[in-house]
Amino acid sequence: MEDRNILKPLIFAFNEDIRLNDGPSHVTDLMVLTIKSLVPSEDYVGVYIDYKRFNEEMKLWKYYRHGDNIALLNILGNMDSHIYWDKKDDTAYFRIIPIVLSNKDYAYIRREVIKNLLFTTGNIETLIEGILLSKLLYLLIREEENAIEELKKELIDFSQIEFIEEYIDYIRISTETYPGNFTVNFEQYRIHGLNVLNFSHSKYFKVLTDCLEIFIKGEEANTLFGKCISPLMADIKHESYKEDDFYFELCNYVNNLRKGRINPQSLKIKKYYLPDVFQYDVGDEFYHSLLNQSRVIKKEKINNKTILHLNTKSGIYKLVN
């Protein structure tokens, strides 16, 4: 598949989110944050997420966010186990897109996808659906014809025991706090997933169902993720949008990561310098490891909140504390 087609899911994800919300929402925020945290491996042929960077980006995002959800806010403070296990994160599947597009080896993709999903939620349905969506996106890029059978095999081979053993360090809260029987629920969701792949009715895996209806039946997308991957299956034109050079460059950057054109040493932050940005006044210039060279262009206090406008390399940030 040509490069410009491979990048379509990411381009459409940015465009549709911005169009539907009349500007970027937290979905776009988290996609950008994910891309900024991608680093080529020096040991394997693959691109991984630097979780030191990702975690620090999340802490900064708290102040400039364009929306949020309960799962994201939960990981920014003292995590509530009920929220972690029960609540879904509507940015999760969109963070998958740059992970898949920047890599060519699905075994590597799968591991990075699982780690990233677990960072914000332990919801079992989200975990299983996210894995299947990442595999579907990978298969569409490769133009595989037997995608459904490949997805079934992926789910059948997804062992709960191996999952716990391999990813125990990435599950943010002990499985002992799970509100119910983790083992039973895990297997139930695997069955629900197989039902969807066999085109049986299910009230679960709505995003996967939407994608399969696009893929098999040529239906029009009903979900945002479905709209993002539909250009890989047909020459679909979405509603008009205002092109933004920043997001276009991010997409090109992901393509360069995929092609191995980025030196990993140029992306690694050896020592983090993260000053409290709210200490600065109008006109002050400072360096921040995540924002780079920055200058305060406006500062105001409204309703006991400090609002800071920063001019940075990647644009203007409005931070609220």
Side-chain angles (χ1 to χ4, degrees):
M1 183 173 286
E2 295 180 10
D3 292 349
R4 60 188 178 88
N5 289 328
I6 290 173
L7 294 175
K8 279 183 177 180
L10 187 57
I11 294 170
F12 275 73
F14 283 132
N15 293 339
E16 285 296 289
D17 181 58
I18 292 169
R19 183 186 66 81
L20 292 172
N21 295 286
D22 197 24
S25 77
H26 57 294
V27 172
T28 286
D29 288 345
L30 268 291
M31 285 193 292
V32 172
L33 187 155
T34 301
I35 293 170
K36 286 183 175 181
S37 303
L38 291 172
V39 179
S41 172
E42 295 184 76
D43 301 316
Y44 305 96
V45 179
V47 177
Y48 67 94
I49 290 181
D50 176 349
Y51 278 95
K52 168 63 176 173
R53 172 76 183 256
F54 193 82
N55 194 41
E56 294 300 337
E57 290 279 6
M58 285 294 299
K59 292 177 184 177
L60 180 64
W61 169 80
K62 175 183 177 181
Y63 300 109
Y64 70 81
R65 65 186 189 269
H66 297 99
D68 53 50
N69 65 48
I70 192 170
L72 293 175
L73 295 179
N74 186 49
I75 66 170
L76 294 175
N78 295 321
M79 282 195 288
D80 182 305
S81 62
H82 175 74
I83 293 175
Y84 181 74
W85 291 118
D86 185 62
K87 300 302 179 182
K88 295 182 178 181
D89 172 11
D90 61 355
T91 73
Y93 301 155
F94 299 94
R95 302 198 311 268
I96 286 172
I97 296 175
I99 294 173
V100 175
L101 300 191
S102 60
N103 283 285
K104 298 180 179 180
D105 179 356
Y106 184 70
Y108 199 91
I109 290 171
R110 183 177 182 274
R111 179 169 174 78
E112 288 303 311
V113 163
I114 292 174
K115 286 161 55 178
N116 196 251
L117 292 171
L118 291 173
F119 192 87
T120 61
T121 179
N123 182 276
I124 298 174
E125 183 181 0
T126 298
L127 173 67
I128 294 176
E129 188 169 37
I131 293 170
L132 293 174
L133 291 174
S134 70
K135 185 65 176 277
L136 177 60
L137 178 54
Y138 170 79
L139 293 171
L140 289 173
I141 289 170
R142 291 174 59 86
E143 301 177 300
E144 296 280 352
E145 295 182 357
N146 59 337
I148 301 300
E149 293 306 312
E150 288 289 332
L151 292 174
K152 289 179 183 179
K153 184 177 185 304
E154 181 68 34
L155 190 49
I156 291 169
D157 292 345
F158 188 35
S159 163
Q160 178 184 166
I161 294 174
E162 290 179 8
F163 164 69
I164 294 295
E165 289 178 350
E166 187 170 354
Y167 297 98
I168 189 66
D169 292 338
Y170 300 100
I171 299 173
R172 306 291 298 275
I173 293 179
S174 170
T175 54
E176 294 179 1
T177 67
Y178 184 80
N181 190 313
F182 184 87
T183 299
V184 171
N185 286 358
F186 189 98
E187 293 307 318
Q188 285 179 335
Y189 277 111
R190 282 213 311 159
I191 293 170
H192 290 312
L194 286 170
N195 287 339
V196 169
L197 293 173
N198 285 317
F199 301 98
S200 298
H201 175 73
S202 176
K203 65 178 181 179
Y204 302 103
F205 300 99
K206 293 299 185 184
V207 178
L208 177 62
T209 298
D210 183 49
C211 293
L212 294 180
E213 288 180 348
I214 301 166
F215 179 56
I216 300 298
K217 302 178 183 179
E219 300 281 351
E220 188 172 332
N222 291 311
T223 63
L224 181 55
F225 190 88
K227 288 184 178 182
C228 295
I229 70 166
S230 58
L232 295 177
M233 295 177 264
D235 186 17
I236 297 171
K237 293 184 179 179
H238 287 213
E239 290 83 350
S240 61
Y241 60 88
K242 182 179 179 181
E243 188 169 312
D244 189 301
D245 289 342
F246 174 67
Y247 299 110
F248 182 74
E249 288 302 320
L250 279 176
C251 293
N252 281 336
Y253 174 71
V254 169
N255 188 46
N256 285 332
L257 285 171
R258 179 181 178 84
K259 290 181 172 294
R261 295 172 177 169
I262 306 295
N263 180 357
Q265 290 300 323
S266 68
L267 301 178
K268 291 183 177 179
I269 300 175
K270 294 177 181 176
K271 184 176 181 181
Y272 280 82
Y273 185 63
L274 306 168
D276 175 9
V277 297
F278 293 98
Q279 69 179 302
Y280 297 109
D281 295 314
V282 175
D284 287 350
E285 296 186 7
F286 61 93
Y287 177 78
H288 188 285
S289 293
L290 306 180
L291 297 168
N292 292 307
Q293 199 64 33
S294 305
R295 181 168 63 89
V296 180
I297 57 176
K298 186 178 181 181
K299 187 176 185 180
E300 52 190 340
K301 198 121 182 172
I302 300 177
N303 297 328
N304 295 320
K305 290 186 179 293
T306 301
I307 302 175
L308 201 68
H309 295 257
L310 296 180
N311 189 6
T312 74
K313 181 181 178 181
S314 56
I316 304 296
Y317 280 79
K318 176 183 177 183
L319 298 96
V320 180
N321 185 18

